[in-house]
Amino acid sequence: QIQLVQSGAEVKKPGASVTVSCKTSGYTFTAYGVSWLRQAPGQGLEWMGWISPYSGNTNYAQKVQDRLNLNIDISTSTAFMELRSLRSDDTAVYYCSRDGGIAVSPTDYWGQGTLVTVSS
Amino acid sequence: DIQMTQSPSSLSASVGDRVTITCQASQDVNTYLGWFQQKPGKPPRLLIYGASNLEMGVPSRFSGSGSGTDFTFTIASLQPEDFATYYCQQYDNLPLTFGGGTRVDLK
């Protein structure tokens, strides 16, 4: 079955960086994009960016584009999200999701989420 | 960016009730609209894609309709396991954007 398994919770100080991994299985990794989204406590869903494992192309939300880096390791079917210069308002649950692409399909399978807490 | 306006933000209902949620896009998204269910501490679960197509394994009491800018999500007969928060998402263009959510709780 299709699975996306994320790395564990992180606690970081303001100004630090965090990397979250997302190991996929059960489908052809290069056939779908991976979107990263986040959800602040008690808030709605915010899309952060997308990467194509096939081409390596990326697209970032304007709000985080200067601090976000998305990468992949095709050999292990794993996607990575690095967020730099963390601030307290980056505290959120971060999700990876399989993304069929614009005008093709929505984000259909999601990881379990990774809580990132930014606190001094 | 395409803004998604979802209403109501919350509603109280009883088991067996018919529940309807609406989502309006700030511009035409064709039928590139999905509906998700989220329970506390869990990731969102895709229920509807293409505005009206039921994802595999999703009960038939869930349905969606609409195209362009106006969309509707309906639960025909609310079940105890349906108390959750529901979101619409447009995937017509990046950035992907979501409605603000509708919390469905027990009356």
Side-chain angles (χ1 to χ4, degrees), chain A residues 35 37 39 43-47 50 59 95 99 101-112, chain B residues 32 34 36 38 41-44 46 48-50 55 87 89 91-98 100:
Chain A
S35 270
L37 309 96
Q39 188 169 36
Q43 301 301 308
L45 296 158
E46 177 186 17
W47 178 84
W50 166 91
N59 193 300
Y95 294 103
D99 188 338
I102 292 302
V104 176
S105 70
T107 48
D108 56 359
Y109 288 87
W110 294 57
Q112 82 277 20
Chain B
Y32 303 124
F36 293 80
Q38 188 178 30
K42 298 293 187 181
L46 178 65
I48 302 280
Y49 64 95
E55 180 74 346
Y87 294 94
Q89 178 208 67
Y91 53 101
D92 179 70
N93 214 336
L94 292 179
L96 302 181
T97 49
F98 293 82

Side-chain angles (χ1 to χ4, degrees), chain B residues 11 13-20 61 63 72 74-78:
Chain B
L11 64 90
S14 301
V15 173
D17 282 354
R18 182 181 182 88
V19 168
T20 298
R61 63 181 180 273
S63 65
T72 300
T74 300
I75 307 173
S77 177
L78 197 66

Side-chain angles (χ1 to χ4, degrees), chain A residues 33-107:
Chain A
V34 176
S35 270
W36 288 87
L37 309 96
R38 67 182 177 181
Q39 188 169 36
Q43 301 301 308
L45 296 158
E46 177 186 17
W47 178 84
M48 299 177 66
W50 166 91
I51 184 166
S52 166
Y54 176 79
S55 64
N57 288 346
T58 56
N59 193 300
Y60 298 140
Q62 193 168 14
K63 182 178 178 181
V64 294
Q65 64 180 8
D66 294 336
R67 302 189 292 130
L68 181 65
N69 188 43
L70 301 182
N71 265 307
I72 52 168
D73 180 345
I74 290 182
S75 68
T76 60
S77 299
T78 302
F80 300 89
M81 179 211 69
E82 179 193 27
L83 189 62
R84 302 180 295 274
S85 302
L86 289 167
R87 310 187 290 242
S88 58
D89 63 354
D90 291 318
T91 293
V93 176
Y94 288 75
Y95 294 103
C96 61
S97 66
R98 191 179 80 159
D99 188 338
I102 292 302
V104 176
S105 70
T107 48

